[in-house]
Amino acid sequence: MPVESRDRLLAAAVEFIARTGVGDLSLRRLAAGIGTSHRMLIYHFGSKEGLLVEVVRAVEERQRAALADLHLDHGGSIAETIRAIWRRLADPALWPHERLFFELYGQALQKRPGTTGLLDGIVDDWLDLNVTLAERLGVPADTARQHARLGLAVIRGLLLDLLATGDRAGTDAAVEAFIATYETGTHAPTDTPAPVRPSGRGHGGEEAGPADG
Amino acid sequence: MPVESRDRLLAAAVEFIARTGVGDLSLRRLAAGIGTSHRMLIYHFGSKEGLLVEVVRAVEERQRAALADLHLDHGGSIAETIRAIWRRLADPALWPHERLFFELYGQALQKRPGTTGLLDGIVDDWLDLNVTLAERLGVPADTARQHARLGLAVIRGLLLDLLATGDRAGTDAAVEAFIATYETGTHAPTDTPAPVRPSGRGHGGEEAGPADG
DNA sequence: TGGTACGTGTACCGTATGGTACATGCCTGT
DNA sequence: ACAGGCATGTACCATACGGTACACGTACCA
């Protein structure tokens, strides 16, 4: 099979790039890092951009694979499902690939050639998936879509937080606060929020922080 | 004043980099783009990395400036405060700088020299600020911190969504779903979520989407 | 009027890059 | 045994890069 060694190279390349970043990537350094020559990378992938396209595709694929089995056997509550997803994604073993994901996301937003394909289904694919799941629970499609979108933002936002701060406990607590939203029946009125225990049910309110300018 | 022309150069550089991305930045292209020579950039900033450090600092500063006035005059409810923040940040005029922010975020996660300073207060600075605000509303510090963190994640996650999809209506709706969390008194039980109107009060539940693998 | 600091242009240097040309193994099917 | 394709090493190319050396102008201050 002609593509066998190519696949091995690609896997090694993704792993290396996850470690070192894609920003200052050079074919020669990459080749040296995975035990080949830059000549071979050009041979198998045609060009640097050709390689990048395949790396992006591999990252997308890994993204889906990381949660594919989780979605199926979530016999428990919504709360448990969210917890399971977060537990899986917050695993430090995945951090290098998640850093790479966000780095590629940033480059794709700036239209770096080869990376823009990452944006195609970066939201909608997950929404479709989650809406399907939500509808099984009896949530109407339009409402489900909003909350799927919100949940996706929460997970990604907290992952960004976790990768920057390393504060697993703090982000875990924020996830619990989000989960509480879906399982508590007691919410405080808008202007006089009621205090709650960090991992208990119900919560007080206060507003969100900014992100950028 | 020695630094006057330097400041002009820096402002022009930030604006140019926001347009073209920081990934493939070269002093020569940047210089050509803002009407100077790469010689001048070295002269004023010492090195490419020196320039990058200042750009990062400028981006941080702009981040704070974008919301500085908003936080003070939020006479309204928490809901209105969140809405005001989102309205401000979702403005398409800010998108180029927000793209740059996320691109730099990604590079900082990969420890690109000159960018790592961005991570220092990228979460905690905003948390401190919002916790202070939350406490004025009577929320205990530990709970306030969780929800400030959650709100920050929501805003950043939805901004990431908005920049990738351009779907203002969809992200607006997700913000409203989040706001509803803080103003409704009727929440459905965990296992039988009740449907709601997109911008109404109360909501059904369904779980979050994944972000990365 | 002279000097001194700021600013700028030109030309150059060493280096690393992506990509190519060409030769040469190696392994398999006949 | 040999032919053909996959794989690989060596050597090279043109280009662009960050950074430096040096000369020159210009404006302000004594």
Side-chain angles (χ1 to χ4, degrees):
Chain A
M1 190 82 95
V3 292
E4 167 196 325
S5 69
R6 188 188 123 118
D7 288 352
R8 241 182 302 120
L9 269 189
L10 179 57
V14 169
E15 195 264 346
F16 179 87
I17 295 173
R19 278 198 339 259
T20 66
V22 79
D24 65 341
L25 183 66
S26 104
L27 293 183
R28 284 170 154 92
R29 272 200 305 273
L30 168 59
I34 65 179
T36 181
S37 68
H38 87 286
R39 169 70 181 77
M40 281 299 95
L41 295 173
I42 294 283
Y43 174 74
H44 280 295
F45 301 100
S47 68
K48 188 183 181 184
E49 182 178 332
L51 168 65
L52 192 54
V53 167
E54 305 259 15
V55 168
V56 165
R57 181 150 46 218
V59 167
E60 275 185 300
E61 200 171 307
R62 208 180 286 248
Q63 205 183 131
R64 278 157 183 75
L67 288 169
D69 48 335
L70 262 187
H71 274 99
L72 301 179
D73 59 8
H74 75 303
S77 62
I78 293 170
E80 265 314 311
T81 304
I82 299 179
R83 251 182 226 111
I85 290 175
W86 174 251
R87 232 182 289 127
R88 177 81 129 239
L89 292 176
D91 181 354
L94 295 182
W95 289 5
H97 286 98
E98 281 158 354
R99 279 189 217 104
L100 177 57
F101 169 77
F102 283 115
E103 193 193 3
L104 286 173
Y105 201 141
Q107 308 240 351
L109 289 179
Q110 297 287 12
K111 306 230 186 305
R112 170 170 177 175
T115 65
T116 53
L118 185 68
L119 296 183
D120 288 346
I122 209 164
V123 170
D124 288 314
D125 284 2
W126 297 111
L127 292 195
D128 293 346
L129 196 109
N130 291 329
V131 165
T132 301
L133 229 74
E135 283 176 337
R136 273 193 228 149
L137 298 169
V139 182
D142 56 337
T143 300
R145 200 162 187 85
Q146 287 173 38
H147 284 273
R149 193 160 214 149
L150 176 59
L152 180 60
V154 167
I155 295 289
R156 287 201 174 136
L158 285 178
L159 220 35
L160 224 34
D161 178 334
L162 179 61
L163 292 175
T165 65
D167 182 359
R168 179 67 190 268
T171 48
D172 279 359
V175 169
E176 287 302 323
F178 180 62
I179 289 173
T181 277
Y182 288 98
E183 57 180 8
T184 182
T186 64
H187 271 248
T190 302
D191 48 3
T192 58
V196 285
R197 317 176 54 83
S199 54
R201 29 203 75 222
H203 66 268
E206 95 294 339
E207 39 60 77
D212 175 48
Chain B
M1 188 82 91
V3 291
E4 168 197 324
S5 69
R6 188 188 124 117
D7 288 351
R8 242 182 303 121
L9 268 189
L10 179 57
V14 170
E15 195 263 346
F16 180 87
I17 295 173
R19 277 198 340 258
T20 66
V22 79
D24 64 341
L25 183 66
S26 106
L27 293 184
R28 285 171 154 92
R29 270 200 307 272
L30 168 59
I34 65 179
T36 181
S37 68
H38 87 285
R39 169 71 181 75
M40 281 299 96
L41 294 173
I42 295 283
Y43 174 73
H44 281 294
F45 301 101
S47 67
K48 186 184 181 181
E49 183 178 334
L51 168 64
L52 192 54
V53 168
E54 305 259 16
V55 168
V56 165
R57 181 148 48 215
V59 166
E60 274 183 302
E61 200 172 308
R62 206 179 286 248
Q63 203 183 133
R64 279 160 183 73
L67 288 169
D69 48 334
L70 263 187
H71 275 100
L72 302 179
D73 59 9
H74 74 302
S77 63
I78 293 171
E80 264 315 310
T81 304
I82 299 178
R83 253 183 225 111
I85 290 175
W86 174 251
R87 233 181 289 128
R88 177 80 130 237
L89 293 176
D91 181 354
L94 295 182
W95 289 6
H97 286 98
E98 281 158 352
R99 279 189 218 106
L100 177 57
F101 170 77
F102 283 116
E103 193 193 1
L104 285 172
Y105 201 141
Q107 310 240 347
L109 289 178
Q110 298 287 13
K111 306 230 185 304
R112 170 169 177 175
T115 65
T116 52
L118 184 68
L119 296 182
D120 288 345
I122 209 164
V123 170
D124 288 315
D125 284 2
W126 298 111
L127 292 195
D128 293 345
L129 196 111
N130 291 328
V131 165
T132 301
L133 229 76
E135 282 175 337
R136 273 192 229 150
L137 299 169
V139 182
D142 57 337
T143 299
R145 201 163 187 83
Q146 288 172 39
H147 284 273
R149 193 158 214 151
L150 176 59
L152 181 59
V154 167
I155 295 289
R156 287 199 174 138
L158 285 178
L159 220 35
L160 224 35
D161 178 333
L162 179 60
L163 291 175
T165 65
D167 183 358
R168 180 67 191 268
T171 48
D172 279 359
V175 169
E176 286 302 322
F178 180 62
I179 288 173
T181 278
Y182 289 97
E183 55 180 11
T184 181
T186 63
H187 270 248
T190 302
D191 48 2
T192 57
V196 284
R197 314 177 54 82
S199 55
R201 28 203 75 223
H203 66 268
E206 94 296 339
E207 36 63 74
D212 175 50

